Amino acid sequence: MTRVFSGMQPSGEPHLGNLLGAWVNWVGMQDRADCIYCVVDLHAITSPNEHDPATLRQRTVDLATGMLAVGVDPERSVLFVQSHLHEHAECAWLLNCVTSFGELRKQPQFKEKSEGRESVSAGLFDYPVLQAADILLYHADEVPVGEDQRHHIELARDIGQRFNHRFGDVFALPKAIHPTAAARVMDLQDPTTKMSKSQSSEKGIVRVLDEAKKIEKKFKSAVTDSAADIRYDRDEKPGVSNLLEIFAAVTGREIDGLAAEYDGRGYGAFKGAVAEAVVERLRPVQERYAELTDDRGEVARVLERGAEKARAIAAPTLASAQEAMGLLPRGEA
Ligand code: AMP
Ligand code: TRP
C-alpha cells in the first residue's frame, strides 16, 4: 500500500486554508493509503521569532486535537508528535553528513525567512534536513504539501538518493503531492495573497475555531470589487473568485453552478450564503473539537499510541541507516 507522510507546524491557530488546503486532503488519503501525520514541533522551534514555551506546548495539543476533529482517524492512521521520537533528530544528523552547505543555502524558504535578519539559527538553516528525516524514516511514497514545500521534498529525495548510492538501499524516494489549485485560500481582506497565520490580519483570516458570528462578520467585510456581477475570474475579480472557491470547497459544488445561482443577487446575499456554508462546514469540526477538549486524556492516549506505532517504523529505519554508514552497533566489537 502507498505510504503517505505529512506534517504541520504547531505555530499558530489553524485557519480555513489549513483545513481546505491540507487537512481535507489528508483525511481523504486515508481511504487509499497508509497515512502518517505528524505535529512537527521540532520544526516550530526553528522560527526566527522567539517562541514562548507554554504557547508551543498548548499549540501542539491544539493542532493534534484539530487534526482529530477534522477526521484524521487514529484507528487507520498514525498521528504523533515529532519530538516524542528521538529518531527524527538523530536521523537528521546522519543526513546532515550527506547534505552540502550549498544546497541548503540556496533553499528558497531559507532565503525568504532569513532575509534581512542579522542572526538566524543553525536550526533554521537545517530545517529541510530534519524534514527529509521525517519523510525518509517512514519510507514515505507520497508527501501531500502546499506548493511552497516543493523544494523541500525534492531535497529529501536528493538526500535519500545520495545516501542510498553511497551506503546501500535504505530509504524509499518520496514524491510531493500538491492539492488542486482550487484549494488555495486567499486572505479575505487582500485576495491576492494567501490566507496565512503569519501574514494575514485577523479580519482577513477565518480560524477553524471562530464562532459563527465572527465568521459572518469576516465574510460580510470581505474585499470584493465595485462591480456587482458574480463570476469566476482570478485576475479581474480576485475577491469574488476567492469566495467562489471557498463556497465550492465547503459545499462540494461546482464553481460555475454557484456563480450562476448567485449572479444578479448582489454581493450582500452572496457573502451571507458563503458565510453560512462555511459555518455549516465547520460546525461538526468544532463540535468534535469541543468533545476532545473536554476529554484531554483521549488526545494524550492517541498521541501515545501514535508515537509507538511511528517508532515501530522509524527505529528500524534509523538502525539500518546507522549500520549502512558504519556506526558500530552497541554490544558488538
Ligand atoms: P502553514 O499554516 O503555513 O504552516 O501551512 C501548513 C499547510 O497548510 C501548508 O503546507 C498548506 O498545505 C496548507 N495551507 C496553508 N495556508 C493555506 C492557504 N491559504 N490555502 C491553502 N492551503 C494552505
Ligand atoms: N515544512 C512543512 C511546512 O511548513 C512542515 C513539515 C515538516 C512537513 N516536516 C514535514 C511536511 C514532512 C511534510 C513532510 O508545511
Side-chain angles (χ1 to χ4, degrees):
M1 188 135 104
T2 303
R3 165 80 46 81
V4 162
F5 185 100
S6 197
M8 197 177 280
Q9 294 189 53
S11 55
E13 282 176 58
H15 53 74
L16 205 54
N18 298 129
L19 179 94
L20 299 176
W23 288 348
V24 164
N25 210 27
W26 290 15
V27 169
M29 289 183 121
Q30 298 179 117
D31 295 331
R32 64 162 185 85
D34 170 18
C35 298
I36 303 176
Y37 297 126
C38 184
V39 179
V40 292
D41 53 350
L42 297 175
H43 278 108
I45 58 175
T46 66
S47 162
N49 306 315
E50 277 178 33
H51 75 277
D52 170 52
T55 307
L56 175 64
R57 235 179 331 261
Q58 186 60 49
R59 282 182 174 162
T60 300
V61 179
D62 292 347
L63 186 55
T65 308
M67 290 179 185
L68 293 170
V70 296
V72 168
D73 176 1
E75 297 301 321
R76 292 190 287 163
S77 305
V78 176
L79 175 65
F80 76 107
V81 175
Q82 189 185 32
S83 66
H84 290 177
L85 268 69
H86 59 77
E87 283 81 358
H88 288 244
E90 239 176 297
C91 183
W93 182 258
L94 305 186
L95 300 181
N96 270 331
C97 300
V98 294
T99 306
S100 74
F101 181 83
E103 60 190 342
L104 292 182
R105 190 177 43 190
K106 64 174 199 245
Q107 282 296 312
Q109 198 161 65
F110 174 71
K111 286 207 281 196
E112 201 181 293
K113 284 195 190 171
S114 59
E115 202 173 73
R117 294 194 179 254
E118 243 171 51
S119 121
V120 292
S121 70
L124 185 69
F125 186 65
D126 205 32
Y127 180 115
V129 179
L130 180 60
Q131 183 164 351
D134 296 343
I135 297 165
L136 295 174
L137 276 172
Y138 298 91
H139 307 296
D141 306 298
E142 296 182 3
V143 184
V145 281
E147 271 295 333
D148 61 330
Q149 293 297 309
R150 199 182 59 228
H151 298 281
H152 286 166
I153 314 305
E154 275 167 17
L155 182 70
R157 198 182 162 85
D158 290 347
I159 295 174
Q161 199 159 30
R162 193 174 310 141
F163 186 102
N164 288 350
H165 188 69
R166 270 185 72 183
F167 301 113
D169 262 338
V170 170
F171 298 119
L173 304 181
K175 71 168 190 292
I177 302 284
H178 303 298
T180 54
R184 209 171 130 86
V185 179
M186 309 307 274
D187 186 301
L188 297 186
Q189 289 299 313
D190 177 4
T192 57
T193 66
K194 237 175 57 162
M195 187 179 287
S196 135
K197 49 195 173 195
S198 50
Q199 270 152 39
S200 300
S201 73
E202 207 45 51
K203 274 179 78 185
I205 184 169
V206 179
R207 309 276 179 188
V208 172
L209 297 181
D210 273 351
E211 50 186 62
K213 278 215 158 34
K214 215 177 203 175
I215 294 175
E216 280 154 19
K217 217 166 138 191
K218 287 175 177 175
F219 277 100
K220 285 273 177 220
S221 63
V223 167
T224 43
D225 51 56
S226 53
D229 55 331
I230 292 169
R231 64 188 165 86
Y232 187 80
D233 182 337
R234 268 276 176 217
D235 297 327
E236 281 190 21
K237 299 178 75 70
V240 170
S241 301
N242 185 37
L243 295 179
L244 277 168
E245 286 201 8
I246 293 172
F247 205 177
V250 297
T251 56
R253 293 183 54 190
E254 296 292 328
I255 287 179
D256 290 349
L258 290 166
E261 185 178 332
Y262 284 89
D263 193 25
R265 289 168 58 181
Y267 284 165
F270 174 57
K271 288 174 172 179
V274 179
E276 199 184 308
V278 170
V279 168
E280 283 313 312
R281 176 67 182 82
L282 293 179
R283 192 190 310 281
V285 175
Q286 296 185 352
E287 283 171 2
R288 181 75 187 118
Y289 192 97
E291 282 168 21
L292 287 162
T293 308
D294 285 346
D295 184 8
R296 272 290 141 111
E298 173 61 11
V299 177
R301 279 190 295 277
V302 165
L303 293 176
E304 179 50 30
R305 229 175 338 121
E308 263 172 40
K309 289 199 265 179
R311 178 160 287 152
I313 305 167
T317 312
L318 177 64
S320 305
Q322 289 168 324
E323 196 186 329
M325 284 185 109
L327 302 175
L328 180 68
R330 201 167 156 184
E332 285 184 21

